[in-house]
Amino acid sequence: MNSRSLYRVFRVAALAVVVISLLAPLLWMIAASFKTNVDIYDTGKAIFFSPTTDNYANVLQQANYVKFIGNSLWVAFAATVFSLILGVPAAYSMSRFNMKKSALVVLMARVIPGVSLLVPWYYVFSNVRMVGGFSVLILSHMFVSLPLVVYIMMGYFDGLPLELEEAALVDGLTHIGAFRRVTLPLSVPGIATAGILSFIFSWNNFMFALVLSGANSKTLPVAIFDFVGYASIDWGGLMAAATVVTLPIMLIALFVQKYVVSGLTAGATKG
């Protein structure tokens, strides 16, 4: 009993340390977004201070961040939709027809650092006058989201019973018909998981948007750096902008967590 009690105390303490370590920066960011720059530097007002909403007013009104939020939503949504349209059939083909070489190419695309492609991408897209538009951002974000969709859906399709499709083929359906009428409805949890994760990755993408976006297509993560100047940093505005970027994704992740977990594990438990 003593050893069990000690283990429970140690487990609770370890979990508390991990939770505090993860939440402390987030809580500090939210608190700083309601402070003036003077209060942020004042250690005596780390906890008790007079909150102000001027930073959010600056972010949402003066800095035109509503437009940047719309840009981020459009790029993330479009990249996710196109990745699902291309990735789900590709993952099905690789899974059902044992296309190991193609799967290896997808895995390599998932592993290759995106920064290694920025310079050639910028050179190519600038020559065709696409830099600064939404299309180049959507294509660049698909470099991350499309392999992710294929990787998740391949594991999901591998776990679905092949006998269901064989029965559909016996009933007269083609492979495409069996995929559309049998496999696709069963793979909705996996598609939802891949879509959610793809949207989150695209929303948080900073590197591609920093190099390839323009003044009208700037996304929210890039727009945050408007608060960073050569001589000074507007910490209050920066923290407010970071909160606007972070909280929507955290809320989405919180509400869809069980669906993401069930989608990721469903392929391993079926069949």
Side-chain angles (χ1 to χ4, degrees):
M1 295 296 295
N2 292 334
S3 60
R4 290 183 179 179
S5 300
L6 290 175
Y7 172 73
R8 290 177 181 176
V9 171
F10 173 78
R11 184 176 63 178
V12 171
L15 289 175
V17 171
V18 172
V19 171
I20 292 174
S21 300
L22 294 176
L23 291 181
L26 177 64
L27 295 176
W28 183 89
M29 177 186 69
I30 297 175
S33 67
F34 290 99
K35 297 181 181 180
T36 63
N37 289 330
V38 176
D39 291 342
I40 291 176
Y41 285 104
D42 189 352
T43 57
K45 297 183 178 180
I47 299 177
F48 302 101
F49 59 93
S50 298
T52 177
T53 59
D54 292 342
N55 296 322
Y56 287 96
N58 183 33
V59 167
L60 297 178
Q61 297 177 10
Q62 300 179 21
N64 199 22
Y65 267 62
V66 175
K67 177 182 178 181
F68 300 143
I69 293 174
N71 292 345
S72 294
L73 287 173
W74 165 241
V75 172
F77 176 78
T80 299
V81 170
F82 286 125
S83 296
L84 290 174
I85 292 175
L86 296 176
V88 172
Y92 174 78
S93 300
M94 296 177 191
S95 173
R96 286 296 184 256
F97 301 105
N98 198 22
M99 303 169 64
K100 295 183 179 180
K101 293 183 179 180
S102 299
L104 180 61
V105 172
V106 173
L107 181 60
M108 291 298 296
R110 186 76 181 90
V111 173
I112 294 175
V115 67
S116 62
L117 300 176
L118 274 180
V119 174
W121 275 3
Y122 182 83
Y123 177 77
V124 172
F125 289 128
S126 62
N127 286 334
V128 295
R129 301 182 183 276
M130 291 180 62
V131 173
F134 288 107
S135 57
V136 66
L137 288 180
I138 295 171
L139 290 174
S140 62
H141 285 202
M142 287 178 62
F143 173 77
V144 177
S145 57
L146 182 57
L148 177 66
V149 169
V150 174
Y151 182 77
I152 292 175
M153 294 308 300
M154 279 185 63
Y156 195 89
F157 287 135
D158 288 340
L160 291 179
L162 185 59
E163 291 79 6
L164 296 176
E165 295 180 30
E166 293 175 346
L169 294 176
V170 171
D171 290 338
L173 292 178
T174 62
H175 284 286
I176 297 178
F179 168 73
R180 184 170 58 88
R181 296 188 180 185
V182 178
T183 307
L184 197 59
L186 292 175
S187 60
V188 169
I191 294 174
T193 301
I196 292 168
L197 294 179
S198 174
F199 184 88
I200 292 175
F201 276 110
S202 182
W203 175 274
N204 293 329
N205 194 296
F206 168 76
M207 181 174 53
F208 296 153
L210 178 64
V211 177
L212 300 175
S213 66
N216 294 325
S217 60
K218 186 185 300 183
T219 57
L220 197 54
V222 178
I224 290 179
F225 275 79
D226 292 341
F227 293 94
V228 179
Y230 291 103
S232 62
I233 299 177
D234 182 7
W235 285 107
L238 183 62
M239 293 301 101
T243 303
V244 172
V245 174
T246 305
L247 284 186
I249 290 300
M250 291 195 63
L251 292 176
I252 292 175
L254 180 64
F255 284 109
V256 303
Q257 177 185 6
K258 62 179 181 179
Y259 301 105
V260 172
V261 174
S262 63
L264 289 174
T265 58
T269 57
K270 291 183 178 181

